[in-house]
């Protein structure tokens, strides 16, 4: 059952990253069982006050919505099936809790383990890795900035890193790069060596430690579709991170335009 939630996480399309959000999407599901009981729980938990964006669900008869979380490290995904009771998966730091309803519409909560592909990444983090705490610290600065998420296995994200950093600073943004945690240190350092040599920059040697190159284990970015494609740029300002993101390589004007739009919406 949990694999259906994971499928929703891993298959979110780029187009959905900018789709419209809505409140209480469960109100549009016909003949949903336990609706009154669910809405009572949603009200108690504050889920009815959140905005949601549709995700790719793990089954043809299921619709999934994830909240646009304003709290780093905490996410809610609502899974809806016509003529059946809803389920909710609450993601908090390194835990996942599933809320469902029994045949008497009584709410049942159950802690669930990470699926294997997330376990491999997020359960093996070290103090050197870049985590949710580092993300909170970065965003809490109150300044406007960009987080550039790249992978040595996506060549465009490697070669565009120096340009993105230069542009961010030119546009008045803090800049930090984080890297795909599934890549080995050897892959990361090898990619940086080639990239900075081609860019005629002497920087790769300054990134000798794992902390310096920011191996990302912030589950919060994973929930923001971080594994779908590289590079991804997240914009933060005024102690908040934007619920939308910039996917792929942008022109100079395009990057500035989208970053400024996101940044202004956070004021």
């Amino acid at each position: 059952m949990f694999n259906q939630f994971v499928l929703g996480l891993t298959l979110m399309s780029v187009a959905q990253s900018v789709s419209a959000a809505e409140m209480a999407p469960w109100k549009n599901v016909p003949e949903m069982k336990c609706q009154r009981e669910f809405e009572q729980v949603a009200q108690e938990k504050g889920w009815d006050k959140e905005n949601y964006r549709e995700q790719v669900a793990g089954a043809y008869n299921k619709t999934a919505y994830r909240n646009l979380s304003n709290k780093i490290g905490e996410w809610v995904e609502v899974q809806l099936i016509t003529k059946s009771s809803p389920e909710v998966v609450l993601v908090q730091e390194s835990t996942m809790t599933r809320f469902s309803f029994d045949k008497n519409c009584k709410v049942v909560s159950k802690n669930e383990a990470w699926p294997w592909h997330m376990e491999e990444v997020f359960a093996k983090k070290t103090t050197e890795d870049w985590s949710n705490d580092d993300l909170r610290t970065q965003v809490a600065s109150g300044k406007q900035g960009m987080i550039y998420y790249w992978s040595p296995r996506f060549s465009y994200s490697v070669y565009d890193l120096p340009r993105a950093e230069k542009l961010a600073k030119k546009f008045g943004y803090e800049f930090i790069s984080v890297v795909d945690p599934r890549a080995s240190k050897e892959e990361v350092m090898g990619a940086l060596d080639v990239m900075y040599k081609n860019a005629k920059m002497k920087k790769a040697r300054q990134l000798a430690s794992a902390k310096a190159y920011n191996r990302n284990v912030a589950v919060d970015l994973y929930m923001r579709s971080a594994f779908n494609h590289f590079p991804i740029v997240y914009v933060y300002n005024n102690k908040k991170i934007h619920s939308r993101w910039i996917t792929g390589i942008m022109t100079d004007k395009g990057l500035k335009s989208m970053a400024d739009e996101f940044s202004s919406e956070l004021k």
Side-chain angles (χ1 to χ4, degrees), residues 216-242:
N216 174 61
V217 294
V219 178
D220 195 85
L221 293 188
Y222 178 83
M223 297 297 287
R224 296 175 190 272
S225 193
F227 281 8
N228 282 2
H229 186 78
F230 297 93
I232 292 179
V233 173
Y234 301 96
V235 176
Y236 59 90
N237 191 17
N238 195 28
K239 299 185 178 181
K240 293 175 286 187
I241 183 169
H242 206 283

Side-chain angles (χ1 to χ4, degrees), residues 51-261:
N51 282 300
Y52 293 82
R53 182 179 291 140
E54 187 173 357
Q55 310 296 300
V56 176
Y60 75 93
N61 63 338
K62 179 178 288 189
T63 306
Y65 294 87
R66 189 177 307 157
N67 72 323
L68 309 185
S69 180
N70 292 314
K71 184 177 181 181
I72 292 174
E74 183 170 314
W75 292 79
V76 176
E77 183 160 302
V78 182
Q79 301 172 0
L80 307 171
I81 305 176
T82 301
K83 297 184 180 181
S84 184
S85 58
E87 293 187 342
V88 177
V89 177
L90 175 64
V91 180
Q92 293 176 299
E93 297 297 337
S94 58
T95 64
M96 293 187 178
T97 306
R98 182 178 293 273
F99 295 85
S100 58
F101 294 84
D102 63 19
K103 62 181 181 180
N104 297 315
C105 288
K106 181 179 178 181
V107 66
V108 178
S109 64
K110 179 183 177 182
N111 292 331
E112 297 186 342
W114 294 112
W116 67 268
H117 72 280
M118 292 179 69
E119 179 77 17
E120 286 188 345
V121 174
F122 299 114
K124 297 180 180 179
K125 56 189 175 184
T126 71
T127 55
E128 288 189 326
D129 293 332
W130 201 83
S131 66
N132 277 348
D133 287 338
D134 293 295
L135 177 60
R136 288 190 190 93
T137 299
Q138 198 75 26
V139 174
S141 69
K143 300 177 181 179
Q144 67 174 9
M146 297 184 195
I147 299 171
Y148 183 91
Y149 199 5
W150 67 283
S151 173
R153 300 171 186 178
F154 284 68
S155 59
Y156 287 116
S157 73
V158 179
Y159 288 103
D160 202 51
L161 199 164
R163 185 184 75 99
E165 180 175 9
K166 182 178 179 180
L167 288 174
K169 293 178 178 178
K170 177 182 178 181
F171 301 153
Y173 288 79
E174 288 185 331
F175 181 88
I176 185 167
S177 64
V178 299
V179 70
D180 183 357
R182 297 166 296 180
S184 67
K185 183 175 181 178
E186 290 70 27
E187 286 180 291
V188 174
M189 296 310 299
L192 288 173
D193 269 335
V194 172
M195 178 266 293
Y196 280 113
K197 283 179 182 177
N198 286 353
K200 298 180 180 180
M201 299 171 66
K202 298 179 180 180
K203 190 172 182 179
R205 291 299 103 201
Q206 300 172 22
L207 301 173
S209 71
K211 187 65 175 179
Y213 68 71
N214 293 328
R215 178 180 179 270
N216 174 61
V217 294
V219 178
D220 195 85
L221 293 188
Y222 178 83
M223 297 297 287
R224 296 175 190 272
S225 193
F227 281 8
N228 282 2
H229 186 78
F230 297 93
I232 292 179
V233 173
Y234 301 96
V235 176
Y236 59 90
N237 191 17
N238 195 28
K239 299 185 178 181
K240 293 175 286 187
I241 183 169
H242 206 283
S243 59
R244 294 164 62 195
W245 49 85
I246 304 169
T247 302
I249 305 299
M250 304 289 293
T251 63
D252 294 9
K253 289 183 178 179
L255 180 61
K256 185 178 189 306
S257 175
M258 291 193 71
D260 287 350
E261 178 184 346

